[in-house]
Amino acid sequence: MYYLNKIVGFCTSPAGVAFSLFFLAAVSYSLKRCRLSRILIVFCAVWLWVWMMPFTIRFVGATLEDMTGKACINDFTSIPKAEAAVLLGGSCGVHNKCGAAEMFFSADRVRAAASLWKAGRVKKIILTGPNASRSMLPILVDFGVDSAACISLEQARNTEEEALAVSKVAGKRIILVTSAWHMPRAKLLFERQGFDVCVCPADFEMRAAAESPLKFSDFLPSGDAFLRNSYALKEWVALIGYKLFR
């Protein structure tokens, strides 16, 4: 199922659809269907332009973040207490040569988990994802978290497997910590494992972009916007897919 999810995710991603359109255009051209080939090329270009515009984030990414039902959290004492906070992986990595922890653009979730622990909302933090003990754990310690309060589950490869792994070591009430754009699907999968989930979304970068004044550059192609829109579309496709077929 893991690899099937990866294949479906690529095929429905902006890059995957663009690749398919370009491939069909090449096949059409080889079959002397030049008009069809030109139409597909133009459609491919328009498709890429749409997903590379920062403007698109306002509809695809920001609306996804709004589904969490919470704004950016500053007062962590307002969150109900739970046995553990579950910090999902994907926000940090490890430098291959020196072994240092690397923070990615969604690393706000690590700070949020540390804030929950320091505010006394949880007694322990469960870290998930490959290399969690070498990536997120050192950063949590730098934020003041006691390493003895952290549990690393590194076998899980995606959110569905993370929820299953956590169900074997945690009680039913948890505080789920992940990026706001990832929270709707993550909450659904953890609830399906029987958890009573209190959400603590972090990293509201798409909502922040949507709230900024509209400008001309919002309609120009941007590699950063393409990355964020790709993440958002993946989440929408996966969320709908889990609700309809799983």
Side-chain angles (χ1 to χ4, degrees):
M1 187 59 67
Y2 171 78
Y3 293 105
L4 178 61
N5 289 342
K6 289 293 184 182
I7 292 172
V8 173
F10 173 75
C11 291
T12 56
S13 69
V17 173
F19 176 83
S20 300
L21 290 171
F22 185 80
F23 177 77
L24 291 174
V27 171
S28 299
Y29 184 80
S30 67
L31 296 176
K32 309 300 182 183
R33 303 287 299 275
C34 296
R35 184 171 181 273
L36 177 59
S37 179
R38 287 194 295 269
I39 292 174
L40 290 171
I41 289 294
V42 170
F43 190 77
C44 179
V46 172
W47 171 265
L48 286 174
W49 189 294
V50 168
W51 292 106
M52 294 181 75
M53 286 194 302
F55 179 74
T56 307
I57 296 175
R58 297 171 180 264
F59 301 97
V60 181
T63 54
L64 192 65
E65 290 184 352
D66 291 342
M67 293 176 64
T68 61
K70 285 183 177 286
C72 182
I73 300 171
N74 287 320
D75 180 15
F76 289 87
T77 61
S78 64
I79 297 180
K81 290 185 177 182
E83 176 190 346
V86 178
L87 173 58
L88 299 188
S91 63
C92 300
V94 180
H95 195 285
N96 291 329
K97 291 186 177 180
C98 68
E102 297 284 344
M103 300 177 71
F104 302 153
F105 77 87
S106 57
D108 286 0
R109 63 177 80 169
V110 181
R111 179 189 61 82
S115 298
L116 285 170
W117 185 83
K118 290 192 290 185
R121 300 297 92 187
V122 295
K123 295 181 179 179
K124 61 183 178 181
I125 301 176
I126 300 174
L127 319 178
T128 66
N131 295 317
S133 61
R134 297 174 58 211
S135 58
M136 293 187 292
L137 180 57
I139 298 174
L140 284 171
V141 172
D142 287 343
F143 278 128
V145 178
D146 185 354
S147 61
C150 300
I151 301 173
S152 297
L153 304 176
E154 303 189 344
Q155 300 83 6
R157 298 170 294 179
N158 58 20
T159 309
E160 187 174 17
E161 292 183 0
E162 287 174 326
L164 180 60
V166 172
S167 68
K168 299 177 181 179
V169 299
K172 291 303 180 182
R173 181 170 177 78
I174 62 169
I175 301 177
L176 185 59
V177 185
T178 188
S179 298
W181 52 264
H182 182 232
M183 185 62 77
R185 180 166 64 96
K187 182 174 182 289
L188 171 68
L189 293 176
F190 273 81
E191 286 178 338
R192 288 188 175 184
Q193 289 297 330
F195 285 107
D196 177 12
V197 180
C198 176
V199 299
C200 181
D203 189 47
F204 284 81
E205 294 185 18
M206 298 192 192
R207 169 46 56 192
E211 292 174 350
S212 64
L214 193 64
K215 50 189 180 297
F216 178 73
S217 60
D218 287 334
F219 299 93
L220 299 179
S222 163
D224 179 70
F226 186 71
L227 176 64
R228 296 181 191 280
N229 285 324
S230 295
Y231 274 121
L233 180 60
K234 172 190 172 184
E235 287 300 312
W236 276 114
V237 171
L239 183 61
I240 295 172
Y242 274 114
K243 287 186 174 182
L244 292 180
F245 305 111
R246 298 287 296 277

